[in-house]
Amino acid sequence: MPNKQGNFGKTQLDDSPYFGIEVPNKVRGIVSFKEVISSREYADAKGEILIALGKTAEGRIMVEDLAKMPHALIAGATGSGKSVCINVILASILCRYSPDEVKLLLIDLKRVEMELFSGLPHMLVEKPLDDVNEIMNALKWLREETERRYIAFRAVHAKKLSEYNKLVGRESQMARIVVIIDEASELMTNPLVRKQVEASLSSLARIARAAGVHLVFATQNPVKEVITNEIQNNLNTKIAFAVGDYNHSMVIFKAKGAESLLGNGDMYIKRGKDMVRGQCSYVSTEEVEGIVQDIRKNNDVDFDYDAIDRILKGSKEELQTFPIGGSMLARADDDDAKADAKQDAKEELLKETLRICVESGRASCSLVQRKLQKGYNTIANVMDYMESKGWVSEQVNNKRTLLITKEEFYQMYPDLLEDK
C-alpha cells in the first residue's frame, strides 16, 4: 500500500495553496481481508451493512457502512482491484449478516465473476442474472418492492427500514437488499435498453435508500457513455481504482487523481466532498469459496419464489385465473372433455395447495410453489380463491395466516385421510 510522506494541510486534490507528496513503499504490502475483518475497529463499528474495505494511506482500518453510502460507484481499469473490491463487499456481508438481514441481487454481465455465489441463502434470486430481459424485470421489481415497503412503513408510522423493523414482529421484518451490477457497461452501451436502465437506476437511487435497497454500480470502462451525469449524480459514494487517463478520473468523480494510482487495490474513495486514499483489502478466490461453502453447510435455503417468478418471468407468464366470485368446483354444463379436464386440474391444484398449507401450518405461496413447481401467478390465484372461502386470511405485509384446521380440511377431503 502507498506510504504518505509529508502532509502539508489538505491533499493534492483540493483547491489549496499547499501540496502533499506521496511516495510509494519500496516493498508493496498486502492488506488482507482477514486482518481487517478481525480488527478491533471492525468489531466495534456500528452500522447496518459494514464492509471491511481496507486501510487508509496512513494505515488506519477502513470500515464503511454501505447503508450510509447508500449507493456506490466502483470503477477501475482491468487488474486495478475492482473485482476484488466487489468480492470484499460480498465476503463482508456473508461473514456478518444472516439471510434474514441482507439479501443479494447480483447482476453479472461478464458471466464469470459471481457464479460461485449461486444457490446461497442470501441470494434473492438463486443465480446471478446475465440476461437483459431478466435484468429489466429485476429493476422493475425493485421499484415495485420499494413502493410496497413505503406503504408498509406508513401503516406503522415509520420513515425508514430500521424504524419499521423495530416496530414490527420478527416475522414481519424486512431484509436490506444489496444490488451489485458488475460490468455495467454491457447494459449502458446496449442501445435497446440503455435509456430504460439509466432511468430505472437513477429512480431507484433517489428513492430506495430509506427502503433499505442499495445499489453498487461497477465498471472497468469509466466513460461518459457508461457513467452518465444522471448515474454519477445519484450514486453518492465513488470508489476509484487505477484508470488509464485523466479523463476517466474526471468521469468518475469530477476530479483528477485516479490516473496516478498504483494499481493492485490502490484506491480513492469519495463521500461528498471528502476524498481518502487507501488500499482495498485483498480476499482471494479460495477464501471466498471457503466462506460460501461454510454458509451452504450451516444454513438452510428457503428462496422467495414469489419474487423469483416476478423477476425471471415478469409479465411473460400466462395468467391462470380462478373464478373467485363463483364456485370453483362447479362443473361446466357442457360435455366438453377439455373443459372437464381443465376443471379437474384446478380442483386437484386447489386440494394440493390447501393440503400443503394445512400440513405445514402456514399459508405460504413460496412453500407451495417449491413443493408443486408452479408459477407465482398460478398459486397466487389459488390463494386468492382460498381467501374468498375463508380458509386463509388476506395478505398483510406479503404474508397470510392459515384459518382452516386439519380436522376441517380432512372433513372436506376424507379420501386424503384414508390415504394417510
Side-chain angles (χ1 to χ4, degrees), residues 18-250:
Y18 305 103
F19 66 91
I21 300 174
E22 294 181 342
V23 181
N25 288 324
K26 292 182 179 179
V27 179
R28 181 182 296 276
I30 295 177
V31 179
S32 73
F33 175 72
K34 183 178 180 180
E35 176 189 357
V36 179
I37 205 169
S38 302
S39 67
R40 173 58 57 186
E41 292 87 344
Y42 185 80
D44 292 342
K46 304 295 182 183
E48 302 291 341
I49 311 178
L50 296 177
I51 307 299
L53 192 58
K55 288 184 178 181
T56 66
E58 291 85 4
R60 296 194 306 273
I61 295 291
M62 296 177 72
V63 179
E64 299 294 330
D65 185 2
L66 184 57
K68 289 182 178 177
M69 286 185 177
H71 312 295
L73 166 64
I74 303 176
T78 302
S80 62
K82 174 186 64 68
S83 296
V84 172
C85 183
I86 292 174
N87 280 342
V88 165
I89 292 172
L90 289 168
S92 298
I93 291 171
L94 296 177
C95 285
R96 186 157 182 148
Y97 303 100
S98 72
D100 293 331
E101 295 174 298
V102 178
K103 290 292 185 184
L104 300 170
L105 179 61
L106 306 183
I107 297 174
D108 182 13
L109 288 150
K110 288 194 290 188
R111 305 184 181 185
V112 292
E113 296 289 348
M114 298 180 175
E115 190 59 37
L116 65 90
F117 299 103
S118 294
L120 279 178
H122 291 77
M123 295 285 283
L124 186 63
V125 179
E126 296 170 88
K127 63 179 181 66
L129 304 181
D130 54 36
D131 178 79
V132 172
N133 290 323
E134 292 177 355
I135 293 168
M136 296 307 299
N137 284 338
L139 295 177
K140 180 181 178 182
W141 179 87
L142 285 167
R143 177 60 189 252
E144 293 171 351
E145 174 66 9
T146 298
E147 293 172 351
R148 185 188 71 78
R149 290 186 172 202
Y150 281 127
I151 292 171
F153 294 174
R154 286 197 292 271
V156 296
H157 307 291
K159 294 181 180 179
K160 55 185 180 180
L161 182 63
S162 56
E163 293 179 6
Y164 174 84
N165 283 342
K166 290 178 181 178
L167 293 171
V168 300
R170 184 175 180 81
E171 289 188 356
S172 298
Q173 290 182 353
M174 302 178 188
R176 291 185 178 272
I177 300 174
V178 176
V179 184
I180 299 180
I181 306 175
D182 192 17
E183 205 35 71
S185 63
E186 294 293 323
L187 278 178
M188 298 303 295
T189 56
N190 185 329
L192 298 178
V193 298
R194 178 185 175 185
K195 290 296 182 182
Q196 292 173 274
V197 170
E198 182 181 11
S200 296
L201 292 176
S202 300
S203 176
L204 272 174
R206 286 193 295 269
I207 70 171
R209 174 181 182 173
V213 179
H214 309 286
L215 304 176
V216 177
F217 181 100
T219 181
Q220 64 183 17
N221 188 24
V223 296
K224 289 183 178 180
E225 290 77 15
V226 177
I227 306 174
T228 64
N229 286 333
E230 191 76 9
I231 296 290
Q232 213 263 9
N233 292 334
N234 284 293
L235 301 179
N236 313 61
T237 300
K238 284 87 176 174
I239 300 175
F241 294 90
V243 295
D245 59 42
Y246 164 85
N247 291 325
H248 290 169
S249 183
M250 294 298 292

Side-chain angles (χ1 to χ4, degrees), residues 322-354:
F322 287 81
I324 301 303
S327 173
M328 175 180 159
L329 304 179
R331 293 284 183 180
D333 291 332
D334 58 48
D335 296 324
D336 186 86
K338 290 184 180 179
D340 281 349
K342 189 174 182 180
Q343 189 68 24
D344 288 341
K346 288 183 179 181
E347 289 181 22
E348 187 63 27
L349 180 58
L350 171 65
K351 182 166 65 174
E352 283 301 303
T353 299
L354 192 54

Side-chain angles (χ1 to χ4, degrees), residues 12-13 22 238-240 253 257 261 267-269 275-277:
Q12 64 184 23
L13 297 172
E22 294 181 342
K238 284 87 176 174
I239 300 175
F253 40 50
L261 292 170
M267 67 181 179
Y268 276 117
I269 177 170
M275 291 183 68
V276 177
R277 179 85 175 264

